[in-house]
Amino acid sequence: MEAFLLIPEAEWQQIVSRLERLEKAVQQQAKETEVLPPDEILTVRQAAARLGMTPEGIRKARRAGRLKGVRINEKEWGFYTTELHRYQNRYNRNQYNQMG
């Protein structure tokens, strides 16, 4: 015995639309994870060069909590490339990198 469920056309279109958006989001997330290189730790100067910022700007962002760093030793900080990518996307710095 088979069961059938009748759904109004408008509701069906809404469900299909939501599924399409979900598929696009999953595909976009898969692309982003494929594009990212293996995670490595960069120094303050390397991170600044990667983001098109000054080393002091990187230090200020870390102190303000906008950018998470890891201690390399007592004086130096390092930054994972995935964290730099997250910071770049969150604060929309892509437009600055394309200008230079």
Side-chain angles (χ1 to χ4, degrees), residues 66-80:
R66 294 189 307 267
L67 186 60
K68 295 178 186 172
V70 293
R71 275 262 198 220
I72 294 175
N73 58 37
E74 290 182 17
K75 291 178 124 182
E76 296 179 42
W77 285 85
F79 301 92
Y80 285 108

Side-chain angles (χ1 to χ4, degrees), residues 36-53 58 79-82 84-85 88 93-94 96-97:
L36 291 176
D39 213 11
E40 61 180 309
I41 297 176
L42 302 178
T43 64
V44 173
R45 286 186 181 174
Q46 291 170 331
R50 172 84 50 104
L51 293 179
M53 298 173 65
I58 294 288
F79 301 92
Y80 285 108
T81 52
T82 53
L84 296 176
H85 182 73
Q88 188 176 34
R93 297 198 59 83
N94 286 333
Y96 300 113
N97 284 341

